[in-house]
Amino acid sequence: MSTAQVQELGMTEKRILQALVKLKGFGTPEQLQEALLPEEIARLSANLKKCLELAFEDSSIELSEHQRAVLIEALLRDCVSDNEKQMRGKIMATLMGQLSGQIISLDVPGQRNSVGKILGDCVPSVTASLREIAGSKDRVFVSQVEVMNACSWLRAKGLVQMEEKLEKNYSLLSKRQGAMDLPERRALKALKKAHGTMTVEELRKDKNLKSEEVPIAMGWLKRKGWVTIDKKGGETVLELTQDGKNMLTKKGLDEDLIDRLAVGEIHESQIESDVIDKLIKRQEIVKIREEVVRTVIIGQEGIDIVNAGLDISEEVSSLTPELIQTGEWRGRNIRRYDIGTFAPDLSGGKIHPLQQYIEKVRSIFLNMGFTEIDSGYVHSAFWNMDALFTAQDHPAREMHDTLYLKQPGTMELPETDLVQRVKKMHESGDEDSDGWQYDWQESEAKKALLRTHTTVNTIRYLAEHPEAPVKVFSVGPVFRKEAVDSTHLPEFIQVEGIVMEEGANLEMLVGLLKEFYSRMGIESLRIRPGYFPYTEPSLEPEIFHNGNWMELGGAGIFRPEVTKPLGVKHPVLAWGLGLERLVMTVLGIDDIRKLYVSDIDWLRESPVIK
């Protein structure tokens, strides 16, 4: 590099080259920023690191170098003041504001403990450091943006290289996971008490295992080779193997890892990949934190420049009117302007993508002449099930499918005549239907639950408005006891609607669904026959996603057993459609959970819906 080109290097670029040589040739932007800190600010950084480690020592939270750099920058920018009382208030507000996300993730005792330590230890320590910095002449602080700008410029000159790598850090979702044995370990202890042999029914009675944990424990016992499972005398019997007996006195690799994670967050490089993969497959144990780690690497030419000696002198980054008017600019080192240097992305506030689609659904139906309705989340089983001709012994009413409430445990039923008409339809039907042929129980109908579908809105509306025409819709959350996976959630948004008018038919329903999805931007749509307890005929709209057809919900014409007790005399076209799966397809997302994860980069990059 020529002498003229070396002279073009700004003060920050020169200092970064020097810092890289001291760091043995490479470092992260955060490490470079730390190396450029004046002595007083370096002490602030060290004090802050120590205080925050103490504040979160009982949790799995660890602040990254980047988070600490952002925090220091905010403290220096917003909190330095001659008024110490005012400075303490600003420091407190900055710390609590910047760390609120970490604090909220803790349980209540952990929140109290961490907040107490932040206010009792961090605030006084930071105040003392900022007081010292305020009285210092050397208060030059190089921000992350300046560091990245300088590194980008050095890379453009071929003096450094920059690499990016996505790294993962693992921790436990809760402290409870670290204090509690895995289901198969608890089952192993039960087998030990039973002298190595027991039936599945005996295992179900063990007080240390919940009923839903028994099949999980059996699966892992078999997979790990700790038991054999055979049929004997009509019963399923578990028997300890030699490996199982050996494991009575020691822990498996996955259990050892849980113990390590209980102490704090662990980087992926310190964990065996097959062990962590097995834990991830289990639900609600491991939490993954991803971060992009940037590394700046100095080249040989950069090393040669540093070894040859660099003149570190102050430079002017912007020309002021005073510098121009006095002519002082002629004797100053003025930084060259480079349009290719790094600059932070500026992202304005916008509505969450899912909420944007909710508003789009509303707009579509309102423009199609529909009226929006809603009737809350909590309903009686009468409105959610009975009024829809769902038999009281239907599997959907079981606890493993429906979320019932303890308080209130029951709710009042509507006026007696309607209840009696629904009861009669269930028990004996009418001239056109045999009903379900069982004794309908009012106690079952009174049970309080979280709505399992928004059809509860439309059925209540129909009961109050039985005369044609009716065109209403609703869009809101429903609740089901679902296992969480890439396409299922226990709470999701459902788009519900009905059209009731003389002559309404299946062709109208198909046309309406196609029009709705067309306005939502869906091109690959198919509608095939389906089955639902309260519609006949029934339809299932599907969209093509990830190489497969994915079901979006259900639709059909309400059965007469549903509409007759309500006094409705005309056909009712009805649909209940899941919104998240639709949004997944439009946004190109493979996992439905992505819509609810606080991924700030994805939220910023997601498009604004028109």
Side-chain angles (χ1 to χ4, degrees):
M1 198 175 193
S2 67
T3 303
Q5 288 175 313
V6 171
Q7 291 175 345
E8 288 181 4
L9 292 175
M11 181 173 63
T12 305
E13 285 87 39
K14 293 175 182 178
R15 293 176 66 189
I16 283 176
L17 289 176
Q18 290 179 332
L20 282 169
V21 171
K22 290 180 182 178
L23 291 170
K24 310 300 182 184
F26 62 91
T28 65
E30 290 78 19
Q31 291 170 336
L32 291 173
Q33 184 185 34
E34 189 89 10
L36 300 181
L37 293 178
E39 185 178 343
E40 290 85 354
I41 299 178
R43 279 200 295 271
L44 167 64
S45 179
N47 288 342
L48 189 62
K49 181 180 181 181
K50 183 178 179 181
C51 289
L52 293 178
E53 285 175 348
L54 290 172
F56 295 119
E57 64 180 344
D58 295 328
S59 71
S60 60
I61 293 174
E62 289 186 20
L63 260 68
S64 66
E65 290 179 334
H66 176 70
Q67 289 173 303
R68 185 155 48 94
V70 170
L71 190 52
I72 292 169
E73 190 169 337
L75 290 168
L76 293 170
R77 182 185 65 241
D78 303 330
C79 302
V80 177
S81 172
D82 294 332
N83 186 322
E84 186 161 324
K85 183 178 180 181
Q86 187 181 55
M87 183 162 66
R88 286 176 65 90
K90 289 181 178 180
I91 292 169
M92 190 181 302
T94 299
L95 288 173
M96 298 308 294
Q98 294 280 340
L99 300 171
S100 60
Q102 284 81 4
I103 294 170
I104 289 172
S105 69
L106 301 173
D107 55 23
V108 173
Q111 291 176 0
R112 291 172 180 163
N113 184 48
S114 295
V115 169
K117 288 181 177 179
I118 289 170
L119 298 181
D121 299 330
C122 289
V123 172
S125 177
V126 171
T127 302
S129 293
L130 290 186
R131 192 188 309 119
E132 184 179 357
I133 291 169
S136 170
K137 294 180 180 179
D138 188 8
R139 290 175 52 181
V140 178
F141 175 76
V142 182
S143 69
Q144 274 288 297
V145 171
E146 290 177 283
V147 171
M148 289 303 298
N149 275 337
C151 290
S152 296
W153 198 94
L154 290 170
R155 179 176 60 178
K157 294 297 182 184
L159 299 178
V160 303
Q161 294 179 350
M162 294 177 67
E163 295 180 354
E164 288 189 356
K165 182 182 177 183
L166 181 66
E167 297 186 357
K168 295 180 180 179
N169 297 275
Y170 300 96
S171 60
L172 295 180
L173 275 172
S174 67
K175 289 183 180 180
R176 181 172 173 273
Q177 299 297 340
M180 192 174 195
D181 286 334
L182 292 172
E184 62 268 28
R185 173 61 62 179
R186 283 175 270 148
L188 197 66
K189 291 178 179 179
L191 277 160
K192 180 183 178 182
K193 290 180 183 177
H195 306 290
T197 304
M198 68 192 310
T199 66
V200 174
E201 287 305 315
E202 289 172 335
L203 184 62
R204 290 185 191 280
K205 295 175 183 177
D206 189 274
K207 63 181 180 180
N208 293 317
L209 278 169
K210 298 178 182 177
S211 59
E212 63 266 24
E213 290 179 319
V214 172
I216 297 172
M218 289 175 60
W220 283 102
L221 285 170
K222 181 71 174 175
R223 191 178 305 177
K224 292 179 176 181
W226 294 357
V227 301
T228 58
I229 303 176
D230 296 303
K231 287 281 187 181
K232 293 181 180 179
E235 293 186 306
T236 303
V237 178
L238 285 73
E239 188 170 349
L240 276 180
T241 63
Q242 187 57 50
D243 285 345
K245 292 174 183 177
N246 294 339
M247 293 306 297
L248 288 170
T249 55
K250 63 180 182 179
K251 290 188 175 183
L253 294 176
D254 52 354
E255 294 171 300
D256 286 335
L257 178 55
I258 288 175
D259 290 341
R260 290 171 59 201
L261 291 171
V263 177
E265 188 178 73
I266 303 178
H267 187 267
E268 61 180 335
S269 61
Q270 300 174 295
I271 300 177
E272 293 182 25
S273 59
D274 59 331
V275 179
I276 191 65
D277 287 344
K278 288 177 182 177
L279 278 185
I280 292 171
K281 289 177 181 177
R282 295 172 180 258
Q283 293 185 10
E284 300 179 354
I285 293 183
V286 176
K287 177 172 61 176
I288 305 172
R289 181 176 65 84
E290 296 182 335
E291 62 177 344
V292 176
V293 177
R294 295 182 177 90
T295 304
V296 184
I297 306 166
I298 192 171
Q300 186 58 49
E301 190 175 359
I303 295 173
D304 293 341
I305 289 173
V306 174
N307 291 338
L310 284 172
D311 176 28
I312 306 295
S313 58
E314 187 178 353
E315 63 183 5
V316 175
S317 58
S318 60
L319 285 173
T320 63
E322 184 180 359
L323 285 172
I324 295 172
Q325 291 167 1
T326 59
E328 189 180 343
W329 62 271
R330 292 187 179 90
R332 303 291 292 273
N333 182 20
I334 300 175
R335 182 180 181 134
R336 293 174 65 87
Y337 187 77
D338 185 356
I339 61 172
T341 56
F342 169 83
D345 292 330
L346 298 179
S347 301
K350 61 182 174 183
I351 300 173
H352 190 282
L354 188 58
Q355 187 61 43
Q356 290 185 57
Y357 274 100
I358 290 174
E359 296 305 324
K360 184 169 184 175
V361 168
R362 286 196 175 111
S363 175
I364 289 171
F365 278 111
L366 290 171
N367 287 333
M368 291 170 68
F370 284 77
T371 300
E372 186 173 9
I373 60 170
D374 198 7
S375 57
Y377 300 164
V378 178
H379 295 269
S380 65
F382 176 85
W383 285 116
N384 197 84
M385 307 281 193
D386 296 272
L388 288 164
F389 197 57
T390 304
Q392 292 188 335
D393 60 354
H394 193 281
R397 292 189 185 242
E398 296 296 326
M399 294 288 287
H400 61 260
D401 283 322
T402 300
L403 297 167
Y404 290 94
L405 303 183
K406 288 185 178 180
Q407 290 187 345
T410 60
M411 299 182 74
E412 291 300 317
L413 299 182
E415 47 98 3
T416 306
D417 287 347
L418 174 58
V419 173
Q420 290 303 314
R421 292 196 297 271
V422 170
K423 176 182 178 181
K424 181 177 181 299
M425 186 62 76
H426 276 249
E427 291 184 339
S428 58
D430 60 8
E431 65 275 8
D432 300 316
S433 173
D434 293 333
W436 294 119
Q437 298 294 311
Y438 72 98
D439 291 329
W440 186 85
Q441 300 296 319
E442 187 174 298
S443 59
E444 187 70 25
K446 284 185 174 181
K447 288 183 179 179
L449 50 78
L450 290 175
R451 66 186 186 192
T452 61
H453 45 210
T454 45
T455 315
V456 71
N457 296 334
T458 53
I459 203 68
R460 295 189 76 150
Y461 188 86
L462 273 179
E464 297 169 2
H465 304 82
E467 299 298 327
V470 170
K471 286 179 66 175
V472 297
F473 80 99
S474 63
V475 52
V478 297
F479 311 88
R480 298 178 189 174
K481 199 168 183 181
E482 295 269 15
V484 178
D485 60 30
S486 61
T487 57
H488 293 85
L489 293 171
E491 176 184 340
F492 59 94
I493 306 297
Q494 192 169 57
V495 180
E496 180 79 24
I498 57 170
V499 172
M500 186 263 284
E501 63 179 58
E502 185 177 356
N505 56 44
L506 194 64
E507 187 177 2
M508 290 174 58
L509 177 59
V510 171
L512 193 150
L513 292 173
K514 287 183 176 179
E515 178 64 20
F516 167 70
Y517 282 115
S518 173
R519 296 192 186 193
M520 288 294 289
I522 296 297
E523 296 178 359
S524 281
L525 174 74
R526 76 176 184 184
I527 297 176
R528 64 182 183 88
Y531 168 77
F532 300 101
Y534 42 87
T535 57
E536 181 61 37
S538 300
L539 304 172
E540 289 186 357
E542 296 181 336
I543 50 178
F544 201 68
H545 180 72
N546 272 354
N548 296 292
W549 288 98
M550 181 169 62
E551 183 251 328
L552 292 176
I557 300 177
F558 276 154
R559 293 172 58 161
E561 292 94 337
V562 174
T563 56
K564 283 184 178 180
L566 306 179
V568 174
K569 296 181 175 60
H570 301 294
V572 180
L573 313 180
W575 58 90
L577 313 169
L579 183 61
E580 284 89 344
R581 290 185 180 183
L582 175 63
V583 176
M584 281 173 63
T585 300
V586 176
L587 296 182
I589 298 171
D590 295 333
D591 195 318
I592 197 170
R593 291 166 287 195
K594 179 81 172 178
L595 293 170
Y596 291 96
V597 173
S598 298
D599 184 340
I600 190 66
D601 290 332
W602 176 75
L603 292 172
R604 284 172 175 167
E605 293 168 5
S606 62
V608 175
I609 310 304
K610 296 181 180 179

